[in-house]
Amino acid sequence: MAFALRGVCKQLVRPQLRKTFCPLLRSCSGAGGQFQYIIVDKKGDGGCVGLIKLNRPKALNALCEKLIEELSQALDTLEGDDSVGAVVITGSERSFAAGADIKEMQDLNFHECYGGGFLNNWNRLAEVKKPVIAAVNGYALGGGCEIAMMCDIIYAGQKAQFGQPEIALGTIPGAGGTQRLTRAVGKSLAMEMVLTGDRITADEAKQAGLVSKVFAPEVLVDEAIKLGEKISRNSQLICAMAKEAVNGAFELSLTEGNRLEKRLFHSTFATEDRKEGMTAFGEKRKPHFTNR
């Protein structure tokens, strides 16, 4: 019901009337009760941070097809919610996500994987325009590590473990593990992890550049929400531009990346939020951004 209403709100209702519908949408979707494998909530000041908790504890949050579908639906909803400026994804203290669901994969053949675009729907997380923070406690292995790396920022609990153990199953990472891990930690460490299946600790991941900060497990999610709150105080429009520019560094040459950055920088001067930000600075007050 919540997703149907939100679709109406987003597609058919004029932007100035969305605020009338949003409280109803929040009350329908806040508890995450319509999902089987995730819990969705809104945290922070004014519900400015969307919180998605992977919730398949008996399987250590193994990423089955249904869980990925629900994750995509939740991301679509939070992406369309004007009150949400950032998203946090987490699991349990024992496991962020221990990998893809092997039981779903083991009987697939080449034709089904290649012809059916197996794992293509995992890319939705990497396409979200709003900043996404992974709060990783426990295991982030295989697909779990890949999901974390699709996020923009990774915070880790002190007991977190990261790894790509697919080699032990007679296969390789298939949702960006060989690509994102190499870009994050460099060729040598990535190659060692992929070829051996060895894991690295949270501190090792931070030292290698995979993780931004490490916290005690019990405060990890709260710290990620605080970060989401801080990001949400800025213009969502400008944050999306900044995110696009940084992500461009992974795809483009230095010359092309600088060109993209300059183009996006110039584009900010067409926004009301750029004008408001600079005016507020001159007047020595906090800016009031309207995401326009």
Side-chain angles (χ1 to χ4, degrees), residues 218-238:
E218 62 270 17
V219 302
L220 172 67
V221 175
D222 288 340
E223 292 295 334
I225 291 171
K226 288 179 183 178
L227 175 63
E229 284 184 297
K230 186 173 184 179
I231 292 171
S232 296
R233 297 188 191 108
N234 299 312
S235 164
Q236 292 183 27
L237 179 62
I238 304 304

Side-chain angles (χ1 to χ4, degrees), residues 35-213:
F35 295 119
Q36 183 178 358
Y37 294 127
I38 65 173
I39 298 173
V40 182
D41 204 348
K42 292 169 69 175
K43 299 289 186 177
D45 186 21
C48 64
V49 180
L51 177 64
I52 301 175
K53 181 179 180 180
L54 309 182
N55 187 42
R56 201 182 174 208
K58 292 182 178 180
L60 296 177
N61 292 332
L63 302 165
C64 62
E65 184 68 18
K66 180 64 175 176
L67 188 154
I68 294 298
E69 289 178 2
E70 292 181 356
L71 177 61
S72 296
Q73 291 172 0
L75 290 169
D76 287 343
T77 297
L78 295 172
E79 183 91 292
D81 189 334
D82 293 340
S83 68
V84 172
V87 177
V88 172
I89 297 179
T90 192
S92 66
E93 282 199 20
R94 185 182 179 192
S95 178
F96 176 75
D101 193 322
I102 305 303
K103 293 180 180 179
E104 285 188 348
M105 298 169 58
Q106 62 184 359
D107 294 328
L108 294 176
N109 57 38
F110 169 76
H111 170 72
E112 291 169 328
C113 288
Y114 187 76
F118 183 49
L119 299 186
N120 283 356
N121 58 338
W122 287 41
N123 291 334
R124 177 65 185 99
L125 179 55
E127 297 168 353
V128 175
K129 289 186 176 182
K130 293 181 179 180
V132 182
I133 305 155
V136 178
N137 267 320
Y139 303 121
L141 306 177
C145 188
E146 290 172 311
I147 286 290
M149 290 190 294
M150 290 181 194
C151 298
D152 302 303
I153 300 168
I154 302 177
Y155 274 9
Q158 291 168 336
K159 297 180 180 180
Q161 297 181 37
F162 298 85
Q164 299 290 162
E166 291 87 349
I167 197 75
L169 301 175
T171 187
I172 69 171
T178 62
Q179 303 304 301
R180 291 189 176 93
L181 186 62
T182 303
R183 286 165 168 78
V185 306
K187 177 184 175 182
S188 183
L189 180 55
M191 193 71 80
E192 181 178 354
M193 292 174 67
V194 170
L195 293 180
T196 65
D198 287 349
R199 306 170 187 177
I200 59 174
T201 66
D203 287 334
E204 290 170 334
K206 183 178 185 299
Q207 185 177 6
L210 179 62
V211 165
S212 176
K213 292 181 180 178

